C-alpha cells in the first residue's frame, strides 16, 4: 500500500508540473497567435488525445445520448469561458500571476457551493481571506486597482470553480471519459467560432507555436488528465490537495526559468500568502479524508 501511495504521489507531482508549465506554453503562444485560435487548436488536440482512452473503454456500459449531450454542452461552455478569460488574461499578465490567481478556484469552490446549500466551514473563510491578502500584494497597482490581466484571471477562476462543481455533479451520472471528450469538443467549437469572428488564422504563425500548442493540448489536457485519474485511485485526498496546489508554484518557476519573468519581493510574498490560503482552505480535506479513495 505504501509503495502504491508513493507511486500515486509521484504521478500527481508530474501532473502538477505539467499543468504549471502549461501556463508558460500558453503565455509564449500569445506572442504569435490570438487566444481563441490557441484554445481551438489546444482543445482539438485534447479531443484527439482522449480517443485512445475512449477506444480502450469501448466495451463499457452504454451512455444515454441526451444527458451526455446536455452535460457536455454545460461543462464545455463553462470550460470555454474559463479558458478564454485565462488565455486573454495571459496577454496582459505573467505565467506566475495567472497560475496563482487561477489556483484560487480551490477556495472559491466551497463558497460557490453555498448556493446549493452546502455547508462551508471556517477554514474556507480563513483561507479565502488569506488568499485575498495575497492577491492584493500580488496584483494591486499603484493606483489601487487590480491589474487588468489579473482581473481577467480572477473572473476566469470563478468559471473554473463553477466548472469543478458541475463536473463533480455530472461525473456521478455520466461516464467521465465520454464527458471529458464531449466538453473538450464543445470548447473547441466555441473557441473556433470566436476565432473566426474576432481573430485571423495564420498558418505561418501557427507553425511557429506548434510546440506550445502540442504541449498544452496533448500533455496538459490528455496526459495530465489521465495521470490524475490513475493517481487518485491510490493517493490519499490530503496528498492530492497539497500536491496539485503546487501547480501555481511550477507556473511561477517555469515563467522565471523559461520566460525570464520576475515577480519582485512583494509579488513573491503575495504568491506565498495565496498558496497558504489555498492550503488552509483544504485543511478539512486533509484531516477527514486521509485514506485512499477511488477517483
Amino acid at each position: 500500500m505504501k509503495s502504491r501511495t508513493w507511486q500515486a504521489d509521484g504521478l500527481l507531482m508530474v501532473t502538477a508540473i505539467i499543468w504549471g508549465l502549461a501556463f508558460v506554453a500558453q503565455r509564449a503562444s500569445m506572442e504569435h497567435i490570438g487566444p481563441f485560435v490557441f484554445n481551438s487548436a489546444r482543445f482539438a488536440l485534447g479531443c484527439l488525445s482522449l480517443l485512445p482512452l475512449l477506444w480502450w473503454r469501448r466495451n463499457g456500459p452504454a451512455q444515454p445520448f441526451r444527458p451526455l449531450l446536455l452535460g457536455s454542452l454545460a461543462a464545455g461552455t463553462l470550460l470555454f469561458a474559463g479558458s478564454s478569460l485565462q488565455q486573454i488574461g495571459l496577454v496582459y499578465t505573467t505565467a506566475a500571476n495567472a497560475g496563482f490567481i487561477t489556483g484560487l478556484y480551490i477556495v472559491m469552490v466551497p463558497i460557490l457551493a453555498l448556493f446549493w446549500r452546502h455547508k462551508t466551514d471556517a477554514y474556507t473563510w480563513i483561507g479565502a481571506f488569506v488568499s485575498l491578502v495575497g492577491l492584493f500584494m500580488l496584483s494591486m497597482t499603484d493606483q489601487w486597482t487590480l491589474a487588468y490581466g489579473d482581473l481577467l484571471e480572477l473572473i476566469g477562476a470563478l468559471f473554473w470553480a463553477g466548472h469543478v462543481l458541475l463536473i463533480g455533479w455530472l461525473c456521478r451520472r455520466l461516464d467521465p471519459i465520454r464527458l471529458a471528450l464531449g466538453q473538450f469538443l464543445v470548447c473547441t467549437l466555441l473557441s473556433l467560432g470566436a476565432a473566426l469572428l474576432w481573430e485571423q488564422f495564420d498558418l505561418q504563425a501557427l507553425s511557429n507555436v506548434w510546440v506550445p500548442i502540442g504541449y498544452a493540448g496533448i500533455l496538459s489536457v490528455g496526459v495530465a488528465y489521465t495521470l490524475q485519474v490513475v493517481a487518485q485511485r491510490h493517493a490519499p485526498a490530503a496528498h492530492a490537495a497539497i500536491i496539485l496546489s503546487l501547480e501555481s508554484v511550477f507556473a511561477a518557476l517555469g515563467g522565471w526559468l523559461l520566460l525570464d519573468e520576475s515577480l519582485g519581493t512583494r509579488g513573491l510574498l503575495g504568491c506565498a500568502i495565496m498558496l497558504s490560503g489555498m492550503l488552509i482552505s483544504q485543511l478539512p480535506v486533509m484531516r477527514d479524508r486521509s485514506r485512499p479513495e477511488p477517483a
Side-chain angles (χ1 to χ4, degrees):
M1 182 61 71
K2 286 185 177 180
S3 63
R4 283 189 174 184
T5 300
W6 279 106
Q7 290 172 1
D9 287 353
L11 291 178
L12 287 172
M13 183 63 74
V14 172
T15 301
I17 293 171
I18 291 174
W19 282 344
L21 294 181
F23 284 97
V24 177
Q26 292 170 243
R27 180 75 176 85
S29 298
M30 291 303 90
E31 298 179 4
H32 301 277
I33 59 176
F36 295 116
V37 172
F38 178 86
N39 276 342
S40 61
R42 173 193 183 184
F43 284 101
L45 283 177
C47 289
L48 293 175
S49 69
L50 286 182
L51 290 179
L53 270 179
L54 189 64
W55 179 85
W56 180 63
R57 294 166 57 93
R58 66 190 183 282
N59 295 325
Q63 187 74 61
F65 178 73
R66 180 180 170 83
L68 180 61
L69 175 62
L70 294 176
S72 297
L73 287 171
T77 301
L78 285 177
L79 182 63
F80 167 73
S83 61
S84 296
L85 287 165
Q86 182 185 84
Q87 201 61 38
I88 296 170
L90 277 165
V91 177
Y92 305 100
T93 192
T94 63
N97 284 33
F100 274 94
I101 296 173
T102 298
L104 288 178
Y105 78 87
I106 295 173
V107 180
M108 294 176 179
V109 165
I111 295 177
L112 289 181
L114 288 172
F115 292 101
W116 285 268
R117 298 182 180 180
H118 292 184
K119 292 183 179 180
T120 299
D121 52 63
Y123 290 105
T124 297
W125 296 111
I126 295 172
F129 176 77
V130 172
S131 296
L132 284 176
V133 173
L135 177 64
F136 175 86
M137 297 190 66
L138 177 68
S139 304
M140 199 61 63
T141 66
D142 294 335
Q143 290 74 39
W144 294 89
T145 59
L146 195 64
Y148 179 65
D150 292 352
L151 177 61
L152 293 178
E153 299 294 342
L154 183 61
I155 298 172
L158 284 170
F159 283 99
W160 289 122
H163 181 260
V164 168
L165 287 170
L166 179 62
I167 289 295
W169 185 80
L170 290 174
C171 276
R172 295 193 294 269
R173 295 161 175 81
L174 301 171
D175 177 72
I177 302 300
R178 292 185 176 92
L179 175 62
L181 181 61
Q183 68 167 346
F184 293 157
L185 181 59
V186 169
C187 187
T188 299
L189 295 175
L190 290 175
S191 299
L192 181 61
L196 291 173
L197 284 174
W198 294 303
E199 296 174 359
Q200 292 183 341
F201 279 90
D202 186 338
L203 294 179
Q204 180 60 44
L206 279 172
S207 66
N208 291 333
V209 292
W210 67 269
V211 173
I213 290 176
Y215 181 95
I218 297 174
L219 286 179
S220 178
V221 175
V223 174
Y225 171 84
T226 306
L227 289 178
Q228 182 194 20
V229 171
V230 172
Q232 289 198 244
R233 292 180 181 273
H234 304 290
H239 294 203
I242 294 172
I243 295 172
L244 292 179
S245 295
L246 295 177
E247 169 191 353
S248 54
V249 177
F250 290 117
L253 287 174
W256 174 57
L257 290 172
L258 301 175
L259 300 178
D260 200 27
E261 295 178 349
S262 177
L263 287 171
T265 303
R266 192 181 78 168
L268 287 171
L269 184 58
C271 289
I273 294 173
M274 288 175 68
L275 183 60
S276 299
M278 295 177 207
L279 294 177
I280 289 171
S281 72
Q282 295 299 300
L283 283 177
V285 177
M286 301 173 194
R287 181 190 60 199
D288 298 332
R289 300 177 62 189
S290 60
R291 63 183 184 277
E293 58 183 33

